[in-house]
Amino acid sequence: MITVENLTKSFPGDGGPVHALQDVTLDVPAGSITGVVGPAGSGKSTLARLVALQDRPDSGVIRFDGFNTSGLDPRRLRAARRRIGVVQRGGLLEQRTAAGNIALPLEQAGVDGPQRREKVGRLLDLIGLTDKAAHYPEALTPGQQARVAVARALVGDPGLLLADDPTRDLDADGAAGVLTVLDRARAELGATVLVATDDAGVVRRIADDVALLDGGRITEAGHLLSLVQDPRSAVAQSLLPEIDAPKAAKARHDRLAEVVLVGFAAVGALLPEATSRFGTTISVVGGGLTRIGETPVARFLLGLSGTQADTALTWIAERGGQVQQRRTGPQGLVAACA
């Protein structure tokens, strides 16, 4: 749905131009949740403003459904902006209730009362705050206020929902509630969602695709579950459990292998079946289990003993496990195994 091509943006600085984005190219598939992850100052908010058509790049192209937005006249640019819902944290009006804040864009667009009430009611249900409809912002928790902000961004049925740092300063429960709403917006309303964040946990929880932004450049991008299976991937290193095992534990085995397993069947069955099938003792020496969305993903350092240890690892790899094999050498030193 959205394609960013060779996007560059700079701002004046005391020592010359500050390059916020440099030659950024990114695809946001229709109906997906794409996370742009990077530290403070990496260019995430600048990219979000450009994609929301709130600012123009120095060079490069932003396409919506194949249409180049850079050549739009003011009237068509306003129409394109209406297709984008921007989540604005902290922008709720204190004198309006939760329902009133959600309804405000509809009032400004001249939508009649019955239609407004129906739309607002559906969105209150989507964000799980039907019982808070008549509450003013001061009576809502920060997480509830953030969910109202998401609902207000959705009220115009946008094709793209853009959220810049939507969980900032929220506690765990508040952040989880916001991410659940973003996921429901994609699943139930068909919205394409673009989330900019410095929190890798946000990506782990809801994203289908991810792009790493650092120093104004995309350093890695792709489908999340594919990237976490690539041992060279920075995404895998940041999202998967760390492997920390004592040397003594490593030295007790004939083989050591780092293995990534994705999915319920792989995580639950491959290792026990390999043990039984090849008469090999397989022990988890380090690592752990996490979830990418609803998919379990394991990253283990395995210790294997037995004459068919190599065969067992090959069998695991043939069934989708990502295996990096190592051999324990003399005095417990670990040497690379071809």
Side-chain angles (χ1 to χ4, degrees):
M1 177 185 181
I2 305 158
T3 304
V4 174
E5 301 173 0
N6 307 115
L7 213 61
T8 297
K9 180 68 177 180
S10 61
F11 299 96
D14 293 338
V18 176
H19 297 285
L21 297 174
Q22 301 181 66
D23 198 31
V24 168
T25 295
L26 176 68
D27 288 325
V28 181
S32 73
I33 298 180
T34 298
V36 176
V37 186
S42 61
K44 301 187 304 297
S45 294
T46 299
L47 179 61
R49 286 195 302 272
L50 294 177
V51 172
L53 305 181
Q54 296 172 342
D55 199 357
R56 290 186 179 273
D58 299 336
S59 61
V61 174
I62 300 171
R63 300 183 189 275
F64 281 85
D65 295 332
F67 289 97
N68 185 347
T69 62
S70 62
L72 297 179
D73 59 39
R75 181 183 62 82
R76 295 174 66 195
L77 183 60
R78 288 192 296 272
R81 285 173 178 158
R82 286 195 290 271
R83 298 180 57 199
I84 305 168
V86 180
V87 180
Q88 295 179 323
R89 289 279 306 278
L92 301 184
L93 298 179
E94 294 297 329
Q95 69 272 28
R96 279 180 167 260
T97 63
N101 269 284
I102 297 170
L104 182 60
L106 298 176
E107 294 175 16
Q108 294 171 336
V111 177
D112 64 37
Q115 285 182 294
R116 288 201 309 269
R117 287 190 290 273
E118 181 183 2
K119 173 61 71 66
V120 170
R122 290 203 303 269
L123 288 173
L124 283 166
D125 180 65
L126 180 85
I127 66 174
L129 292 178
T130 300
D131 60 335
K132 306 292 186 184
H135 286 57
Y136 290 89
E138 64 179 8
L140 302 174
T141 68
Q144 290 169 343
Q145 292 177 25
R147 283 148 64 186
V148 172
V150 175
R152 186 174 58 183
L154 288 167
V155 77
D157 296 321
L160 171 67
L161 180 65
L162 197 155
D164 185 6
D165 211 1
T167 61
R168 184 184 67 251
D169 299 329
L170 297 180
D171 61 20
D173 288 342
V178 171
L179 297 182
T180 295
V181 169
L182 294 176
D183 196 26
R184 293 187 68 183
R186 182 270 303 270
E188 299 181 24
L189 303 181
T192 301
V193 182
L194 179 62
V195 179
T197 181
D198 59 6
D199 183 356
V202 169
V203 170
R204 182 190 295 111
R205 172 74 167 77
I206 63 169
D208 305 300
D209 294 80
V210 64
L212 297 186
L213 189 62
D214 191 18
R217 296 182 182 275
I218 296 289
T219 59
E220 189 169 274
H223 187 62
L224 185 53
L225 284 176
S226 296
L227 288 175
V228 298
Q229 296 179 74
D230 183 350
R232 301 163 298 176
S233 166
V235 170
Q237 297 303 316
S238 64
L239 292 185
L240 296 183
E242 293 185 2
I243 290 179
D244 184 14
K247 290 183 179 180
K250 297 177 182 179
R252 289 195 294 265
H253 305 282
D254 299 332
R255 295 287 183 276
L256 289 178
E258 184 177 322
V259 177
V260 176
L261 305 173
V262 177
F264 290 96
V267 171
L270 277 185
L271 300 187
E273 187 171 348
T275 297
S276 174
R277 182 182 292 261
F278 299 102
T280 300
T281 300
I282 301 178
S283 303
V284 175
V285 178
L289 182 68
T290 188
R291 282 182 178 267
I292 304 296
E294 296 301 318
T295 303
V297 179
R299 182 190 188 193
F300 295 138
L301 180 62
L302 301 180
L304 299 92
S305 298
T307 58
Q308 295 197 75
D310 288 339
T311 305
L313 288 173
T314 300
W315 183 85
I316 291 170
E318 290 172 347
R319 280 147 185 82
Q322 300 300 311
V323 178
Q324 286 185 287
Q325 186 173 350
R326 292 180 280 179
R327 189 194 311 273
T328 54
Q331 290 80 46
L333 297 179
V334 179
C337 177

